[in-house]
Amino acid sequence: MDATFITSAFKEDQYPAPDMPEIAFAGRSNVGKSSLINVLLNRKNLARTSSTPGRTQSINYFCLDQSLYFVDLPGYGFARVPVKVKESWQGMVETYLRTRGSSTLKAVVLILDIRRELSSGDLDLLRWLHYYAIVPIPVLTKADKLSRQKARTSAVQIGKKLSDFTQDAPILFSSKTRQGKESIWKKIRELTSTGPVSAGPK
Ligand code: GTP
Ligand code: MG
């Protein structure tokens, strides 16, 4: 599969033309959005990752096989960012969701830390997605940090809290073990029907 970085957008007029389906990746700061994108694409650091929260500060577009865009969104909820930056995040993401709309934006992969409760930012995002009729794909990441049993229990608990927004059970994922990669691809393919036939070697 061919994956290339296209652009970093801060404003609407910097988005590429909406000529291909898009899947966006959202979640709180440092949850592992960029790492997840890299695992899906079998690339080490195409979407730049960092142990410091707030690494991704713009809307980053990647193009896959000339048929699909992956969109890495900036993370929310990092306590130490100035109010101005928080507002600009909110503005950037809401403008993106509103202007892209469900005909182009086929789904937003909502990435949650399997060890944490839903945050107010997660709930705000879920409400926006609901309002704009955009499908959420909930993914619980960092599953490697819990035992299998604890991971399952946590998935059930978080799944219940998501039930107002989606009936889909959250997908357990880890960028360390790559657990869940195929399930996420399967969901993306269902929703875009243009995605790559194979996600490539494991
Ligand atoms: P921002 O762009 O800053 O919002 O962060 P992000 O959500 O893109 O997170 P990123 O992918 O940069 O990962 C943040 C940190 O979490 C890095 O140190 C990663 O190595 C680590 N990390 C990401 N996914 C996992 C995972 O599944 N398991 C473990 N153990 N660590 C992970
Ligand atoms: Mg990032």
Side-chain angles (χ1 to χ4, degrees), residues 3-164:
T4 47
F5 171 74
I6 299 291
T7 192
S8 280
F10 293 87
K11 293 185 292 185
E12 194 185 333
D13 61 7
Q14 297 167 330
Y15 306 162
D19 50 7
M20 287 188 264
E22 266 170 51
I23 299 285
F25 297 81
R28 66 191 295 159
S29 185
N30 214 232
V31 73
K33 298 173 294 298
S34 302
S35 302
L36 186 151
I37 292 176
N38 289 326
V39 168
L40 292 180
L41 300 180
N42 286 325
R43 296 283 292 266
K44 273 222 166 67
N45 208 15
L46 184 66
R48 294 212 190 115
T49 61
S50 161
S51 52
T52 323
R55 181 67 184 84
T56 310
Q57 297 189 346
S58 54
I59 297 180
N60 290 305
Y61 272 87
F62 302 89
C63 180
L64 279 59
D65 284 344
Q66 306 291 325
S67 60
L68 179 66
Y69 285 123
F70 269 10
V71 185
D72 190 7
L73 296 173
Y76 46 81
F78 176 46
R80 275 183 294 163
V81 297
V83 173
K84 273 233 156 99
V85 176
K86 271 189 202 162
E87 283 171 358
S88 85
W89 173 85
Q90 208 168 338
M92 240 192 295
V93 174
E94 198 177 7
T95 303
Y96 170 75
L97 296 176
R98 182 170 34 94
T99 56
R100 256 359 200 181
S102 54
S103 60
T104 306
L105 181 55
K106 301 298 181 187
V108 171
V109 179
L110 171 61
I111 302 152
L112 303 162
D113 188 320
I114 194 160
R115 302 163 301 171
R116 300 181 76 152
E117 296 280 328
L118 289 191
S119 69
S120 58
D122 298 326
L123 288 166
D124 285 345
L125 182 67
L126 281 160
R127 289 188 200 107
W128 283 348
L129 295 178
H130 182 76
Y131 183 79
Y132 293 118
I134 295 163
V135 178
I137 304 177
V139 168
L140 304 182
T141 193
K142 305 195 185 182
D144 58 279
K145 300 248 193 194
L146 293 182
S147 69
R148 277 188 171 214
Q149 183 52 41
K150 285 209 167 125
R152 256 185 250 126
T153 310
S154 174
V156 171
Q157 278 167 358
I158 298 174
K160 277 187 194 149
K161 294 191 176 133
L162 293 171
S163 62
D164 283 347

